[in-house]
Amino acid sequence: MRYLVRVFTRKVFRVLPFILGLIFALVVVLQNGAILATSTEILWDTYGVPHIFGKDTQSAFQAFGWAQMQSHGNLVLRLYGQARGRAAQYWGEKYLESDRWVLTMGVPDRARSWYKLQSPAFRNYLDAFAAGINAYAQEHGKLIDDEVKVVLPVKAEDVLAHLHRVLHFTFVVDPETIGGIKQQESKAGSNGWAIAPKRSASGKAMLLANPHLPWSDLFLWYEAQITAPGFDAYGAALVGIPVLAIAFNNNLGWTHTVNTHDGWDAYKLNLADNGYRFDGKVLPFETTTLSLKVKQKDGTLKTEPLIVKHSVHGTVISQTGNQAVALRVVGLDRPYVLEEWWDMARAKNLSQFEAALKRLQLPMFTVIYADKYGHIMHLFNGQVPIRKKGDFQYWQSIIPGNTSETLWTKIHPYQDLPRIVDPKSGWLQNANDPPWTTTFPTAIKADKYPRYMAPRFMDFRAQRSARMLFEDEKITFDEMVGYKHSTRMELADRILDDLIPAARENGSELAKDAANVLANWDKKANANSKGAVLFATWVQQIDLHKVFSIPWSENKPRTTPDGLANPQEAVAKLKAAAAQVQKTYGKLDVAWGEVFKLDYNGINLPANGAPDPLGIFRSVWFSPQSNGSFKSVGGDSFVAAVEFSQPVRAMVLNSYGNASQPGSPHIGDQLQMFANQKLRPAWHKRSDILAHLEERQAF
């Protein structure tokens, strides 16, 4: 009997690990729906968001490349072709200027050198991302347009070239703004909030991410979740970028806003003896001759030379007579942007997050941060040149290039940048205004920084942003979401109390009728708001810099400018605006949504929201149409509202949907929610993802 017991016991112990393994596997299956120890997969939810579960980091990068191709394959390849400077060779003359810009700025060559400088581990990640792109194209070539297949195979250098083109030669300096015209209206904007526990109704910090970009081309956001051993982040990347640029994890999150950053200068050169004058000498240009190939209508290639000159300032971008202009841009020697973003998303606390930021690889963008520990931060992030003289305005013009006194060679270190952590107010905001107005009472003093660091102003959208935070002592998560969709016009609140009485007292009958419409208007740009079209038309006809009797003041940044400088002229402009609206739409009180439309991928809905300078937090940009209506072309894009409770609570939206590839059901599938001023839950727990699963792909 004892022998039998010993034999039984030995057999039980032999099979016990196997039994325990089965039990553990069963638990994993019940909790997660699959055993993932040795596999990588993409779980696609019903909004076309890829949730990537990588067996290791390299596999996660490869899956992310695959996912971007499934959602945006044609666009990704076209963007990479442009980043190579070979788009005209592939697709014809309409890309010629793009190629000239990219090649003149040295984007492809610099990307190749940047690739060699990456750490071995991160170089492998970039290779994996490119491999994912190529694997998708090989397996699903029928789903990709034939004309963009010429870009294949994609290399990691193409990924870096695309990043370089987007960051340095679209955001830092746009080809349409060179020549010293820095005041031109930007293609990019954004709102960002961080709310500390003392101002949060739940006692948990909250974050609002709200970039504004065109709804097309390289500006499209791609929403995703990336999970790998030691890494789990949810957010968005610009299409073609292999890491998340705006994200949150279980511990922290951040957003970016386009800051009032000046990271480039145009220098005027005086030419002499085939060179240029500098510090009393004549220096020769460094000259390189490149070849531009352009595909002709008959399919043949035409080759033309591209001569690129460099001075000590940078690349020469124009030459007329005995003068030339050279361009100097920050960040061309900082190749580790992607790894910095990756490590920001890996961080578990503020210290680790700032350790990544301190590398200063990202050339620009304000950082708004919040975490589960209750910390919030505003950082005026960027590579800011150390300049010997001049204020911000001075550096907006073309700079004399004949002396080293104007030539900057270094940037400010991290500790020099405007920054505030945990302000007394308990909240931070940025709506593309300078850092001085991030919170009230003022936490970052402009006088402590060089005058060239950032300008001094606060426009109406930023004032509306600050007003909503300033006036609410305890903000709930739902209130934050509601504020995000606010279409209240700060400009209307500021000026109608003067304009309406002036029109009623001294205006014509038409002007008085217009005043009555404005008096009954809700001062919003909702679809059913009647009076918003009339007011916006009036604003187009006035000079905002001259209309106010009290100019904007640093001492009263949230409540100025104010008052009408010339009531009689303002009323005359109102009459003219009323006549225009009456003629175009047949009535003065036409609803905003009758005129302004959310129009994307054949979906047409009454719009809400409007662009600057009306002072609306919910930013939507429109393009005029021939029939008098206006079509949405940009503005609010990816949105994330996050509360750092445990577990993290998050609501999101990608206005135009998470795909552009023909045939995808996710092109424009979120536009109705956008029109309804709604967000949707961010499914970042695996159980929630599986409950809303559209497709599973295993690798």
Side-chain angles (χ1 to χ4, degrees), residues 30 42 177 179 198 301 334 383 403 451 547 608 689 692:
L30 291 174
I42 305 175
T177 66
K198 67 185 293 183
L301 292 178
R334 306 236 164 179
Q383 297 156 3
T403 170
R451 296 284 295 186
V547 74
N608 61 83
I689 300 164
H692 301 89

Side-chain angles (χ1 to χ4, degrees), residues 84-104:
R84 286 178 183 171
R86 297 171 66 182
Q89 175 184 338
Y90 298 150
W91 306 303
E93 191 169 358
K94 68 178 181 178
Y95 290 98
L96 182 57
E97 287 306 312
S98 170
D99 283 358
R100 281 200 182 108
W101 173 248
V102 166
L103 293 174
T104 299

Side-chain angles (χ1 to χ4, degrees), residues 111-122:
R112 284 187 282 271
S113 66
W114 280 10
Y115 173 73
K116 296 175 182 178
L117 292 171
Q118 303 298 307
S119 67
F122 207 81

Side-chain angles (χ1 to χ4, degrees), residues 434-574:
W436 332 124
T437 50
T438 186
T439 196
F440 296 95
T442 302
I444 305 176
K445 306 293 185 181
D447 290 340
K448 293 184 178 181
Y449 297 87
R451 296 284 295 186
Y452 59 70
M453 181 70 72
R456 302 189 186 196
F457 70 85
M458 190 178 193
D459 63 20
F460 288 111
R461 177 162 51 88
Q463 290 185 30
R464 169 57 54 178
S465 173
R467 179 202 284 261
M468 291 187 289
L469 290 164
F470 185 85
E471 293 180 350
D472 193 335
E473 289 293 329
K474 290 290 183 181
I475 303 172
T476 69
F477 182 84
D478 290 341
E479 284 176 333
M480 181 172 74
V481 172
Y483 291 148
K484 190 267 137 300
H485 293 115
S486 172
T487 68
R488 182 89 178 195
M489 293 190 190
E490 186 71 20
L491 178 55
D493 277 327
R494 188 64 49 81
I495 207 165
L496 284 187
D497 59 343
D498 295 308
L499 178 61
I500 292 172
R504 284 174 169 171
E505 291 176 13
N506 303 309
S508 65
E509 288 303 314
L510 182 57
K512 290 177 181 178
D513 290 342
N516 290 334
V517 170
L518 294 178
N520 292 324
W521 169 44
D522 59 8
K523 299 181 183 175
K524 297 178 181 179
N526 287 331
N528 60 355
S529 294
K530 297 181 177 181
V533 174
L534 174 60
F535 183 73
T537 305
W538 176 75
V539 171
Q540 287 183 331
Q541 299 194 12
I542 64 172
D543 185 341
L544 270 180
H545 299 289
K546 297 179 180 179
V547 74
F548 292 102
S549 58
I550 302 172
W552 182 81
S553 169
E554 288 186 62
N555 296 323
K556 296 181 178 180
R558 293 190 303 107
T559 57
T560 55
D562 200 3
L564 281 176
N566 188 331
Q568 185 175 357
E569 182 179 353
V571 171
K573 296 288 187 182
L574 179 60

